[in-house]
Amino acid sequence: MRIKPIHQTMGLLLGLSVATGLTACNQTEKAGTDKSANKAKDTLQEYVDQRLAGYERVKLTTNLNQLSANERQVLPLLIQAAEIMDELYWKQAYPQRDSLLNTIKDQKTKDFVWINYGPWDRLNGEKPFVAGIGPKSETGTFYPAGMTKEELEKSDVKDKFGLYSVIRKEKGKLISVPYHVVFAAELQKASALLKQAALITTDPGLKKYLNLRADALVTDDYTASDYAWLDMKTNGLDIIIGPIENYEDKLFNARAAFESYVLVKDKEWSKRLAKYVQLLPELQKGLPVADNYKKEVPGTDSELNAYDVVYYAGDCNAGSKTIAVNLPNDEIIQQKKGTRRSQLKNAMQAKFDKILVPIAKELIDKDQQQYIKFDAFFANVMFHEVAHGLGIKNTINGKGTVRSALKEQYSWLEEGKADILGLYMVTGLLKKGELTGDIKDYYTTFMAGILRSVRFGASEAHGKANMQCFNFFKEKGAFERLPSGTYRVNFDKFAKAMNELSAFIIMLQGNGDKSAVEKAQKEKGIIQPELQADLDRLSKKGIPVDLVFDQGADVLGMK
């Protein structure tokens, strides 16, 4: 649903159209009379059939018996609000959805469009899979088509790199328009649903958060609601909602995309995890870098929680499905208050069973397959999120925050930092006796996890991060590829490579040298032919790349 014009200047913003997409729809209609175009269609159909087979369908459910009567009233309202975020993300990612789908006759191609929130394969370098569609634009819907980085940087726009605005061109001049204006109708509906849920809930922390988040959606001021979210302790339900991550902005990695998770807390697991955040300051001191890169003290006034996720919407549902969340992203809040690390336990278990275990059986040396454990997978993912709080948030040389210094290179490197410092945390906690198990379980499962995540491709932040890790570890001899085509971990060298990569990434961040990060991505963030051949084996064996969810109130049995 599009927004009705407010005044003349809105005309340029309300279409939110990507030129390549509109052109492509027309080209697709004309293609039927051309033999070479038909061949292209056939080739694309073959591609879609193959790629679609790489997704496993999973139902998102939870034990409704653990919910109170009050929570059963609130939950459907949260899901309705999340559904609006899904529509808003479509407007950001590919606003011509309906016109595109009307030109496509093949149901599988339509299904693949829905999975990818557009006609580009998110887990294969944004490859177009609809005939006539060109490459994905870097400007997307966040900036005017064809605008260059230099054009915005040299402009007098006040909100050049704002999280919650779009850049538009009016009478030849760039202007900034806030989200709460561009998406006013949808955000007001979502806000009203959160207010309604706040009236019903009996949990005081959740009530306060829902009211403040409802206000934030229609003002673009999320700070108070972020603090209120971190203050919640006794809530059984949770919703993460709004414009949050920057991955969709390919030009500057600056502007946030809409998403939502609707969560049911696993109170038993959450209780077990509570102690780990308190250990962050001590682990920060032990980081394998010079003192000036680890002066910052991580916040500890936050929680580790485990949840069943019952609804994904928008950005977190596009491409690789998130199985753990570390928020808020605001560096000031992180330092003052910390973050909440949310482990999405049911989705995590599904990825382990459906994807990681089959990958390990195919690519991990037979003698080491015994070390693939869910508890190790859970810990590696959990400490990845905790590790976002470690390291460095501000450059050491006056270039501002790491995020602002590295711009579009920030996200993939930060994900790489969290991967490797998460493993560093696991290693340290095992030595301290704070974790139980064999280090071989954690390292071998981490290796299998790398092989799982590199399949996300070069266009995705987590995929780039894992490719860097794979190539770095390979150079250091942390693993070897055997003649059988399987991988064997060298546990001693694995630990050494872990420390060296940790130092390398933290120094890149602390120096705020964007060109050095770009160089690292070009050299390390790539899939070499040998690895690609191994990954192709996984596809031929029918091992899923990722999951697709059946979800919603009806799936939960609440309609």
Side-chain angles (χ1 to χ4, degrees):
M1 183 172 63
R2 295 193 184 279
I3 308 164
K4 293 178 183 178
I6 298 171
H7 50 73
Q8 280 190 331
T9 60
M10 293 295 105
L12 290 169
L13 9 143
L14 301 177
L16 289 176
S17 60
V18 184
T20 54
L22 291 173
T23 305
C25 293
N26 295 332
Q27 289 174 336
T28 304
E29 290 171 2
K30 294 174 185 176
T33 58
D34 187 277
K35 288 184 179 179
S36 62
N38 279 331
K39 186 177 179 183
K41 275 188 175 182
D42 292 340
T43 305
L44 288 169
Q45 186 59 60
E46 196 176 296
Y47 175 83
V48 169
D49 290 349
Q50 182 186 42
R51 293 292 292 166
L52 191 60
Y55 288 83
E56 181 86 9
R57 296 202 77 85
V58 171
K59 280 188 178 181
L60 284 181
T61 58
T62 191
N63 178 11
L64 292 177
N65 293 327
Q66 67 186 308
L67 301 182
S68 68
N70 178 262
E71 288 169 335
R72 285 170 183 251
Q73 286 181 283
V74 172
L75 187 56
L77 294 170
L78 301 185
I79 291 173
Q80 288 176 50
E83 289 169 345
I84 293 172
M85 295 302 109
D86 204 62
E87 285 301 311
L88 286 175
Y89 182 68
W90 268 108
K91 285 179 179 287
Q92 292 180 305
Y94 197 77
Q96 312 87 7
R97 176 191 68 194
D98 294 344
S99 60
L100 174 67
L101 290 172
N102 287 337
T103 68
I104 299 171
K105 293 181 180 179
D106 176 67
Q107 186 57 48
K108 286 186 177 179
T109 302
K110 288 184 178 183
D111 291 344
F112 207 45
V113 169
W114 282 104
I115 288 171
N116 286 282
Y117 288 79
W120 298 284
D121 188 346
R122 289 175 178 271
L123 300 190
N124 191 22
E126 303 284 9
K127 182 183 174 77
F129 58 84
V130 175
I133 293 289
K136 189 171 184 179
S137 154
E138 280 195 331
T139 54
T141 60
F142 296 107
Y143 308 95
M147 189 201 79
T148 64
K149 289 182 180 180
E150 293 73 24
E151 191 178 352
L152 182 59
E153 287 168 342
K154 291 177 181 177
S155 75
D156 59 0
V157 176
K158 291 181 181 178
D159 195 27
K160 290 180 185 179
F161 309 115
L163 272 171
Y164 312 123
S165 67
V166 295
I167 299 295
R168 294 289 174 257
K169 188 171 282 189
E170 183 185 89
K171 296 178 181 177
K173 185 176 179 181
L174 296 177
I175 61 169
S176 167
V177 188
Y179 283 177
H180 75 268
V181 173
V182 179
F183 305 111
E186 292 92 340
L187 290 172
Q188 284 163 8
K189 286 181 182 178
S191 177
L193 285 163
L194 295 188
K195 291 278 188 183
Q196 190 179 346
L199 280 172
I200 297 171
T201 184
T202 56
D203 184 273
L206 181 59
K207 185 184 291 288
K208 181 180 179 182
Y209 165 63
L210 290 175
N211 276 317
L212 287 172
R213 201 66 173 182
D215 293 339
L217 288 174
V218 294
T219 62
D220 293 321
D221 184 356
Y222 288 88
T223 303
S225 63
D226 281 343
Y227 278 113
W229 183 68
L230 290 173
D231 285 337
M232 289 194 305
K233 306 294 180 187
T234 58
N235 55 306
L237 298 179
D238 197 356
I239 183 169
I240 296 168
I241 186 167
I244 297 171
E245 302 290 358
N246 315 91
Y247 307 127
E248 190 66 24
D249 178 356
K250 303 298 184 187
L251 197 65
F252 284 107
N253 196 222
R255 295 184 145 77
F258 287 97
E259 67 180 352
S260 185
Y261 308 79
V262 180
L263 308 168
V264 177
K265 187 183 286 184
D266 186 323
K267 293 183 179 179
E268 197 63 40
W269 271 74
S270 297
K271 196 174 178 181
R272 284 194 238 170
L273 306 179
K275 65 180 179 180
Y276 293 119
V277 175
Q278 302 306 316
L279 301 170
L280 278 174
E282 185 181 349
L283 289 162
Q284 173 85 352
K285 290 177 186 175
L287 288 172
V289 286
D291 288 345
N292 57 334
Y293 289 93
K294 55 183 178 182
K295 285 180 180 177
E296 296 172 11
V297 180
T300 60
D301 186 20
S302 57
E303 297 180 340
L304 273 173
N305 288 312
Y307 298 89
D308 280 341
V309 53
V310 295
Y311 203 87
Y312 283 83
D315 193 39
C316 60
N317 197 39
S320 59
K321 306 303 185 293
T322 306
I323 52 178
V325 188
N326 176 59
L327 292 171
N329 285 328
D330 187 314
E331 289 92 345
I332 295 171
I333 297 176
Q334 287 181 6
Q335 290 181 333
K336 285 185 177 179
K337 189 81 173 172
T339 60
R340 171 170 286 138
R341 288 87 176 185
S342 305
Q343 315 305 307
L344 313 185
K345 189 164 155 276
N346 56 340
M348 205 181 291
Q349 184 75 59
K351 286 210 182 192
F352 181 79
D353 293 340
K354 305 285 188 183
I355 303 175
L356 193 81
V357 170
I359 285 174
K361 286 180 178 175
E362 183 66 24
L363 292 183
I364 297 297
D365 180 49
K366 194 172 181 180
D367 292 342
Q368 293 189 343
Q369 288 179 18
Q370 61 185 303
Y371 301 127
I372 303 295
K373 306 276 179 66
F374 177 71
D375 283 354
F377 180 61
F378 184 90
N380 286 340
V381 174
M382 174 177 69
F383 287 112
H384 165 103
E385 297 305 330
V386 178
H388 278 298
L390 283 177
I392 194 163
K393 303 295 180 188
N394 297 289
T395 58
I396 64 170
N397 47 20
K399 291 184 179 180
T401 65
V402 175
R403 184 187 292 271
S404 62
L406 299 185
K407 293 187 172 68
E408 76 279 4
Q409 294 294 327
Y410 171 80
S411 288
W412 81 270
L413 190 65
E414 174 63 20
E415 293 304 330
K417 181 207 81 173
D419 280 340
I420 202 64
L421 290 191
L423 193 64
Y424 158 82
M425 287 186 72
V426 165
T427 305
L429 292 171
L430 277 169
K431 288 177 181 175
K432 293 175 184 297
E434 297 287 353
L435 269 181
T436 58
D438 188 337
I439 192 66
K440 293 178 181 178
D441 295 347
Y442 296 93
Y443 284 3
T444 310
T445 302
F446 184 88
M447 182 69 207
I450 293 175
L451 295 168
R452 176 183 74 89
S453 294
V454 293
R455 298 174 85 198
F456 296 154
S459 66
E460 205 270 346
H462 299 80
K464 289 177 189 174
N466 279 273
M467 285 188 276
Q468 180 194 45
C469 187
F470 178 91
N471 289 321
F472 192 97
F473 274 34
K474 183 180 179 181
E475 285 179 13
K476 301 296 181 181
F479 62 83
E480 61 177 322
R481 186 182 183 277
L482 302 176
S484 61
T486 58
Y487 293 82
R488 171 183 280 274
V489 173
N490 181 314
F491 297 108
D492 292 333
K493 290 183 178 179
F494 212 81
K496 189 170 184 291
M498 171 191 74
N499 285 330
E500 290 177 0
L501 182 56
S502 297
F504 177 69
I505 291 176
I506 293 171
M507 288 173 68
L508 280 176
Q509 290 185 318
N511 294 339
D513 186 344
K514 189 154 80 82
S515 62
V517 179
E518 288 169 346
K519 182 172 182 282
Q521 185 196 324
K522 286 175 183 174
E523 291 177 355
K524 296 285 193 296
I526 54 173
I527 299 180
Q528 300 292 351
E530 183 180 69
L531 173 60
Q532 187 59 60
D534 292 334
L535 298 179
D536 291 343
R537 279 164 46 201
L538 301 178
S539 299
K540 287 173 185 173
K541 291 274 184 178
I543 297 171
V545 174
D546 207 22
L547 307 176
V548 178
F549 298 121
D550 292 327
Q551 57 178 359
D554 53 340
V555 174
L556 290 169
M558 301 190 78
K559 276 191 177 178

